[in-house]
Amino acid sequence: MQVVFPQGKIKNMLTPQEKWFFDHHGFIILRKVVPPEDIERMIELGNQWHDMTLDELPPPLTSTSLTGDTSPTIAHWINHIQYGDPVFQRLVLNREIMRVIIALTRGTPCLVDCALTKNSKTSDDIHFHAAGQDYSVDELGPRAGFLNAGISLVDIPEGTGFVCLLGSHKRNLDPPDNLSIYDGPPTVINVPVNAGDCVIFTEALYHGARRWTEDSPRFTIFNRYIDKGSHSALPIETYKHLILDEVYELEQPAIQGQQKQVVKRILKDLAAS
């Protein structure tokens, strides 16, 4: 893989096959990008935090699924987990994941959310949804303005977990109302993955999740990025001391054409590998 960045430009970060796959599918799968010891630590913390009430969570951790009017059987999530333990900061800076994020955001990623979700047999289905249609292709390949990196901490068997409408990120028409996450191919595809795998997808893709069927819970981390602007929730200045400078910088607003120092460092690491 060739990585060149004269005057801050990103080129050839993705292989031709990866560019085609992402453009055609709306997502890409990265296999075994998280070490087993980190997975074990994340699950340990996930079990601790999900057993706590909203008031008991160590600040600045919170749970937007526990606020407001939500279903009692919703798959709950813990937000701001990168402030809770260094293991989640390592995940934010994971070189293989960031290689794809940097390429698809044209070198200007802004981290807007880190959440740890727990699903059980009683958790609700997650029906099809999508956020906007900020997706395009140019001479450098695909570009996505809102990306989600979903990292599974457990094995996901076929028939449950992530589903999507293949290619719907390039839609010209909205899908029919009677379309179900339990419909089959070629319209709806299910994407089974293993612990340590990451599915990076554009939020423009219609996606959802089928009900969890295993006895032990499903844990998934969602790190979300935009390629311009910022999110009002991050960074959390009062707790800046809890995160690495590079993670804090990733939370800063993204300005197209201006690369952050952390991006330049990762690009240099990739070029040297």
Side-chain angles (χ1 to χ4, degrees):
M1 179 184 65
Q2 181 188 10
V3 181
V4 294
F5 42 99
Q7 299 179 351
K9 257 195 164 183
I10 309 294
K11 187 176 181 180
N12 297 333
M13 291 285 289
L14 303 179
T15 67
Q17 182 179 0
E18 287 174 329
K19 291 178 182 180
W20 170 84
F21 193 97
F22 191 90
D23 180 56
H24 180 68
H25 292 73
F27 67 87
I28 191 171
I29 305 173
L30 303 177
R31 301 290 186 184
K32 297 182 179 180
V33 292
V34 184
E37 59 271 20
D38 281 4
I39 293 173
E40 183 178 356
R41 175 61 175 161
M42 292 174 189
I43 291 176
E44 177 188 4
L45 289 168
N47 280 315
Q48 289 179 17
W49 293 340
H50 276 280
D51 285 341
M52 295 178 178
T53 66
L54 193 60
D55 292 338
E56 292 172 335
L57 285 172
L61 274 65
T62 187
S63 177
T64 52
S65 65
L66 293 176
T67 60
D69 185 17
T70 59
S71 165
T73 52
I74 194 174
H76 287 291
W77 56 87
I78 309 294
N79 302 94
H80 309 326
I81 57 174
Q82 72 275 31
Y83 288 83
D85 193 90
V87 70
F88 300 108
Q89 297 177 50
R90 289 197 294 272
L91 186 62
V92 166
L93 298 171
N94 182 286
R95 192 170 71 177
E96 183 62 9
I97 295 174
M98 286 306 298
R99 174 181 69 86
V100 178
I101 296 296
I102 289 170
L104 293 173
T105 59
R106 295 295 185 269
T108 59
C110 172
L111 180 67
V112 296
D113 190 25
C114 292
L116 175 57
T117 301
K118 181 180 181 180
N119 295 67
S120 67
K121 286 183 175 181
T122 61
S123 298
D124 297 336
D125 294 326
I126 301 175
H127 298 288
F128 280 124
H129 59 286
Q133 290 181 254
D134 191 2
Y135 176 80
S136 59
V137 180
D138 58 23
E139 68 278 3
L140 297 179
R143 185 212 131 259
F146 187 6
L147 287 165
N148 201 333
I151 302 98
S152 183
L153 303 184
V154 300
D155 292 345
I156 310 294
E158 190 170 354
T160 187
F162 184 82
V163 294
C164 67
L165 300 183
L166 195 65
S168 58
H169 58 302
K170 299 187 288 185
R171 66 190 179 276
N172 293 305
L173 300 171
D174 289 332
D177 293 337
N178 63 352
L179 194 67
S180 168
I181 59 172
Y182 290 99
D183 289 346
T187 306
V188 177
I189 64 168
N190 175 226
V191 185
V193 294
N194 293 320
D197 293 347
C198 176
V199 179
I200 298 177
F201 58 96
T202 166
E203 284 283 353
L205 180 74
Y206 267 90
H207 59 282
R210 292 174 180 171
R211 187 177 298 273
W212 187 242
T213 58
E214 304 301 293
D215 292 332
S216 56
R218 174 191 176 194
F219 284 104
T220 312
I221 294 170
F222 293 104
N223 291 341
R224 297 178 174 90
Y225 300 84
I226 56 177
D227 72 342
K228 53 184 175 291
S230 61
H231 191 283
S232 58
L234 293 177
I236 306 174
E237 296 293 343
T238 306
Y239 295 96
K240 176 183 175 181
H241 62 283
L242 296 178
I243 56 175
L244 296 170
D245 289 344
E246 288 192 331
V247 175
Y248 176 76
E249 188 186 19
L250 277 176
E251 296 177 354
Q252 298 296 320
I255 302 173
Q256 292 185 343
Q258 296 186 19
Q259 281 185 8
K260 298 174 180 179
Q261 292 302 312
V262 59
V263 171
K264 293 179 181 179
R265 192 271 299 168
I266 292 172
L267 287 173
K268 288 180 180 178
D269 289 350
L270 287 168
S273 62

